Amino acid sequence: MHTPPVSVRQTPHGCGRPARPAHRTWQHGGVTPATDSTLFPQVPDTPDAVLEGLDPEQREVATALHGPVCVLAGAGTGKTRAITHRIAYGVRAGILQPASVLAVTFTQRAAGEMRGRLRQLGATGVQARTFHSAALRQLQFFWPRAIGGELPPLLESKAPFVAEAAARCRLRLDRGELRDATAEIEWAKVTRTVPDDYPAAIAAAAREAPRDPAEIARLYTLYEQLKRERSVIDFEDVLLLTVGVLQDRPDIAETVRTQYQHFVVDEYQDVSPLQQRLLELWVGDRDSLCVVGDASQTIYSFTGATPDHLLDFRTRHPDATVVKLVRDYRSTPQVVHLANSLLGHARGRAAEHRLELVSQRDTGPDPVFTEYADEPAEAEGLVRRIRALLASGVPAAQIAVLYRVNAQSELYEQALADAGIPCRLRGAERFFERPEVKEAGVALRGAARAGANDALLDDAVDLPSQVRAVLTTKGWTPEPPPGAGVARDRWESLAALVRLAGDYASAHPRATLADLVAELDERAKAQHAPPVEGVTLASLHAAKGLEWDAVFLTGLTDGMLPITYAKTDEQLEEERRLLYVGITRARRHLHLSWALARSPGGRGSRRPSRFLQRLRPGSTGAAPQAHGGTGSVTGGRPARGVPQARTPVRRAPARCRVCGRSLTDPGEIKLMRCEDCPSQLDEALYERLHEWRAQQAALLGQPDYCVFTDRTLLAIAENVPGDETELSRIAGVRARKLQQFGADVLALCAGKELPEPAEEDPAAS
């Protein structure tokens, strides 16, 4: 029996009118999943063969080759598949000439993927580029004719010019402020805002400037002046100058339009006003334009992106064909249901045009919601679940940990490293490669060399206070800065170093600043190992366009998601869309978590993200289970090897085993005593543990701290556990390490001698 397609021809209500989803899922015989890919597929031998495997809506897109076309495509619905098959079908059927087609998108990765798919479909010769690369090719070709001479060189980085402009303004900008100012100039240019109009423009956009708008406007003016003096152009100038040439030279515009007669634009919800103007000049008064996008995935408005061009497409093109792709081939019904429920509470224009996705996959495990007492507990819980997934057969490369800001990565990097699970960062530098961390290392190294001669350390009484004094010169403060951007990210990095210094000093009471610098160097060296395939760590923004079998969404508290500086309704809705993007990255396993406090024993004052209020079990108005699911959102039977969500147990306050005082400092909690209380250290045992750890690290080919940290060894030597139960109570002795090293540690605590490590027999190799 044939089921009518769920696509909707647009009515006069506008391009983005919400789709009416099918009441049941539909699988067409022979339809292949939209996300499947083969390294060496067979090239279709006929035009009709190009259409094989497409569902009715994708086929409608592929065969709509005349007039303007608007494709509203939800996450995981095969939009790239639909538009590449559309181009390939047109080329193979002789309707489109390959050289006359220009397909544009926003990243080199997406453009490369599109070119690869077109080659697999036998549509060679089609141009698939980013907006900037297409504009740059045209500008290079037409510059001698339009202006004369060679195109000015392209700046590799704006930062030096913005810094020089700041100096002329007598403004002192640190690295983070320089980056924020540069971002403001970029936003102004892509929104076609000239310096004099900048203050009014940000007020109209309800945009929060990183400093006084008049200062930014002056900086912008001098930056442009410097570029003219040095005869160079920047990234945004490529688009601006191409627009200028096409506007001022009708003959050149006509040449471009003769070359390119058919246009396809992917991720159309992300176009800026400047890119939209360039597209209009490319197309001219013709209507051979196909745009693809999803207003619910607009998460880059801070760069000038706006979904208005997508939502207003039918207004500009009244005769447009509109097709809606809502069949989700990526995610299970449980994941799709949660994503739909999240957007069901959204407000604003984008929400009015949301797409109700319909999963085409078999049922899977329900999303898991977990609340933890503190951030280390959240990281430990995440590691436990990842180990279970790995044990069940999920490859590490198909697991991702996603977070709101890059500064959150360090906690998960360390937890995964401690568990021996390889990981890789995407869209962010590793912690020790971040500029502010490198600068801090240089400052600490200089202070260590100067020693008592450094006046900065005159009032510092111990190692932690020395580190705080040094890092104060780099922007660290006892409280985080208000607002967003680089300043907050920078502070989080420096704060992590301050906490690390406190932990190190607790484990090494006699340590000097030079000892800490050596420890930082060792840690940095360990993280500079060759990259390995592993669990992906990425910000939610960097995860756009990607997908994994299992996704962990972490740190979901108010103040982080939505981020603190999201104040207006528009900003809050974009934060909701960011969570939507995160949810829809998951194919099968989805875990959402948050921590009530930052440190163990700390006050649990945080609240779960307001976006989860009506989604998680037990919250007001929680969404019902997905059709075809097995129980509540966290109920049902989990996949084999995947632990069920636990009702979080609030930890009792840690108390000093000497004086009984409540402990809040992580270092004191690990030692189970106040720093000032008398130590019961068995120094001989401590030395034996150090020697044993060095041997184990050498055998494993890892740094010493990957076996046990110094603080953990100190805690063992103070507590002298007599059995596995007592040893497991010491922070830092997780189940894996207990199994791997527990027998040796308990033997050392009992005063026994360990056998020498067996050496490899050369004759056996």
Side-chain angles (χ1 to χ4, degrees):
M1 182 180 72
H2 178 69
T3 302
V6 297
S7 65
V8 180
R9 290 281 184 167
Q10 186 58 19
T11 66
H13 293 288
C15 176
R17 182 175 180 175
R20 293 181 179 176
H23 292 293
R24 56 192 179 90
T25 59
W26 173 91
Q27 293 284 10
H28 182 275
V31 174
T32 52
T35 54
D36 275 5
S37 63
T38 307
L39 288 177
F40 304 103
Q42 183 176 357
V43 176
D45 53 4
T46 65
D48 286 342
V50 173
L51 303 178
E52 292 179 1
L54 300 181
D55 68 27
E57 297 76 57
Q58 294 170 346
R59 183 180 290 254
E60 185 177 0
V61 173
T63 55
L65 296 173
H66 301 286
V69 178
C70 178
V71 183
L72 301 175
T77 58
K79 66 180 180 62
T80 304
R81 178 188 184 89
I83 59 176
T84 51
H85 280 69
R86 178 181 188 271
I87 295 170
Y89 178 72
V91 169
R92 299 290 298 277
I95 299 172
L96 304 176
Q97 295 301 312
S100 71
V101 180
L102 177 60
V104 290
T105 187
F106 285 83
T107 66
Q108 294 291 354
R109 179 189 62 80
E113 180 184 355
M114 194 177 292
R115 288 193 295 269
R117 293 199 189 194
L118 289 170
R119 282 195 301 271
Q120 293 171 359
L121 294 170
T124 57
V126 173
Q127 293 292 309
R129 299 185 173 277
T130 65
F131 268 100
H132 282 86
S133 71
L136 182 59
R137 279 171 60 92
Q138 293 175 20
L139 199 59
Q140 289 171 331
F141 184 82
F142 291 111
W143 188 267
R145 175 174 160 187
I147 309 298
E150 295 294 322
L151 180 69
L154 186 62
L155 274 178
E156 291 185 5
S157 171
K158 296 182 181 70
F161 277 63
V162 177
E164 187 172 343
R168 291 191 181 187
C169 290
R170 300 191 178 185
L171 294 176
R172 298 186 62 181
L173 304 180
D174 63 23
R175 184 186 294 269
E177 291 170 329
L178 180 62
R179 201 155 60 187
D180 286 343
T182 301
E184 281 304 294
I185 291 173
E186 291 173 350
W187 176 84
K189 298 185 77 165
V190 300
T191 55
R192 306 178 73 191
T193 302
V194 298
D196 289 346
D197 294 342
Y198 171 78
I202 65 163
R207 184 179 179 88
E208 186 174 335
R211 57 191 310 121
D212 184 81
E215 288 183 346
I216 295 290
R218 176 63 176 156
L219 196 61
Y220 183 10
T221 299
L222 289 176
Y223 168 76
E224 293 296 322
Q225 181 180 320
L226 274 173
K227 289 199 290 99
R228 288 192 296 271
E229 291 174 1
R230 310 283 169 80
S231 298
V232 294
I233 60 175
D234 63 23
F235 200 59
E236 288 71 38
D237 288 333
V238 171
L239 300 184
L240 285 164
L241 291 170
T242 305
V243 166
V245 168
L246 296 179
Q247 285 181 159
D248 296 343
R249 292 291 300 269
D251 57 324
I252 293 177
E254 188 56 36
T255 301
V256 172
R257 292 168 191 156
T258 300
Q259 170 68 47
Y260 296 116
Q261 300 177 9
H262 189 87
F263 296 86
V264 177
V265 185
D266 193 15
E267 303 287 2
Y268 192 53
Q269 78 278 353
D270 288 333
V271 296
S272 67
L274 179 56
Q275 290 165 330
Q276 174 63 22
R277 179 56 185 151
L278 177 59
L279 179 63
E280 291 168 354
L281 290 167
W282 280 342
V283 175
D285 58 2
R286 297 165 300 172
D287 61 4
S288 188
L289 171 65
C290 174
V291 300
V292 189
D294 178 10
S296 295
Q297 296 189 68
T298 305
I299 58 173
Y300 295 108
S301 66
F302 59 91
T303 66
T306 171
D308 289 346
H309 306 300
L310 174 68
L311 300 178
D312 292 337
F313 190 83
R314 179 58 191 267
T315 301
R316 298 193 308 274
H317 303 278
D319 299 327
T321 297
V322 177
V323 184
K324 297 185 179 183
L325 303 183
V326 298
R327 304 185 197 275
D328 188 320
Y329 295 93
R330 174 188 298 159
S331 304
T332 63
Q334 286 74 13
V335 173
V336 167
H337 173 68
L338 184 65
N340 286 338
S341 299
L342 175 67
L343 287 190
H345 301 299
R347 296 175 296 176
R349 192 176 185 214
E352 293 171 2
H353 302 284
R354 69 185 182 92
L355 299 169
E356 189 84 11
L357 301 180
V358 182
S359 176
Q360 304 298 294
R361 294 195 57 181
D362 292 336
T363 187
D366 290 314
V368 176
F369 295 77
T370 310
E371 180 177 279
Y372 294 95
D374 50 66
E375 289 181 2
E378 185 177 11
E380 290 173 8
L382 175 145
V383 167
R384 286 195 301 272
R385 292 185 183 280
I386 289 178
R387 291 185 63 190
L389 287 169
L390 294 173
S392 71
V394 179
Q398 287 301 327
I399 301 173
V401 179
L402 307 182
Y403 36 77
R404 177 61 177 84
V405 297
N406 288 326
Q408 294 171 272
S409 70
E410 199 268 342
L411 178 68
Y412 303 109
E413 285 183 76
Q414 189 61 55
L416 290 168
D418 286 347
I421 300 173
C423 63
R424 54 179 180 166
L425 269 71
R426 185 180 185 93
E429 299 154 310
R430 287 186 178 273
F431 180 76
F432 285 100
E433 294 174 353
R434 295 172 187 167
E436 62 270 21
V437 175
K438 289 184 175 181
E439 291 175 12
V442 171
L444 291 170
R445 189 171 288 107
R449 288 200 196 101
N453 296 323
D454 192 339
L456 187 65
L457 305 180
D458 285 349
D459 298 326
V461 296
D462 55 14
L463 178 58
S465 59
Q466 289 176 339
V467 172
R468 290 194 293 269
V470 173
L471 297 189
T472 296
T473 67
K474 297 300 176 183
W476 179 82
T477 56
E479 296 296 328
V486 175
R488 180 59 183 255
D489 288 347
R490 179 186 179 90
W491 183 90
E492 292 287 356
S493 296
L494 297 178
L497 290 177
V498 170
R499 292 194 295 271
L500 182 63
D503 295 345
Y504 187 74
S506 296
H508 298 277
R510 298 183 181 87
T512 65
L513 197 54
D515 295 330
L516 176 64
V517 169
E519 173 72 8
L520 291 175
D521 288 342
E522 286 187 19
R523 288 173 175 258
K525 194 180 301 179
Q527 289 189 1
H528 290 167
V532 294
E533 287 293 318
V535 174
T536 300
L537 299 177
S539 70
L540 288 164
H541 283 100
K544 177 76 162 59
L546 303 174
E547 58 186 81
W548 296 270
D549 286 345
V551 169
F552 291 81
L553 302 178
T554 63
L556 300 181
T557 59
D558 263 356
M560 188 56 73
L561 190 71
I563 200 75
T564 306
Y565 50 82
K567 303 293 186 184
T568 67
D569 289 343
E570 292 81 3
Q571 291 168 338
L572 288 170
E573 288 305 317
E574 181 149 338
E575 293 289 299
R576 187 193 304 272
R577 295 195 295 270
L578 194 56
L579 178 57
Y580 174 79
V581 167
I583 290 172
T584 55
R585 299 310 95 195
R587 297 193 190 103
R588 181 173 176 81
H589 304 285
L590 178 62
H591 300 256
L592 305 94
S593 64
W594 59 94
L596 299 178
R598 189 181 77 179
S599 302
R603 182 185 175 192
S605 57
R606 295 175 175 173
R607 294 183 178 277
S609 170
R610 69 192 70 177
F611 299 142
L612 304 181
Q613 182 60 30
R614 289 179 253 183
L615 303 181
R616 63 189 179 98
S619 62
T620 305
Q625 69 181 55
H627 179 69
T630 55
S632 65
V633 179
T634 55
R637 184 173 303 223
R640 184 178 179 183
V642 181
Q644 295 189 36
R646 300 178 299 157
T647 301
V649 178
R650 190 74 59 87
R651 296 178 178 176
R655 296 189 179 277
C656 174
R657 55 188 164 82
V658 179
C659 70
R661 182 179 67 85
S662 294
L663 303 175
T664 57
D665 179 78
E668 293 181 341
I669 291 171
K670 176 165 277 192
L671 294 176
M672 297 174 64
R673 66 169 174 83
C674 303
E675 187 175 353
D676 298 332
C677 283
S679 169
Q680 299 171 341
L681 175 66
D682 183 333
E683 295 188 4
L685 173 58
Y686 189 53
E687 291 299 324
R688 290 197 302 273
L689 288 169
H690 261 280
E691 293 173 3
W692 166 83
R693 184 183 68 171
Q695 292 175 349
Q696 293 296 321
L699 289 173
L700 296 172
Q702 295 180 339
D704 288 358
Y705 68 83
C706 287
V707 179
F708 283 123
T709 64
D710 287 341
R711 191 188 309 128
T712 300
L713 292 188
L714 188 63
I716 293 171
E718 287 195 0
N719 288 276
V720 193
D723 55 35
E724 286 193 354
T725 301
E726 292 180 1
L727 180 58
S728 67
R729 291 183 184 138
I730 295 175
V733 183
R734 299 191 180 97
R736 181 181 66 83
K737 293 192 177 183
L738 184 64
Q739 181 180 6
Q740 187 174 7
F741 304 123
D744 281 4
V745 171
L746 290 172
L748 289 170
C749 290
K752 299 177 181 178
E753 292 295 329
L754 298 179
E756 291 293 325
E759 295 186 1
E760 184 178 356
D761 183 0
S765 58

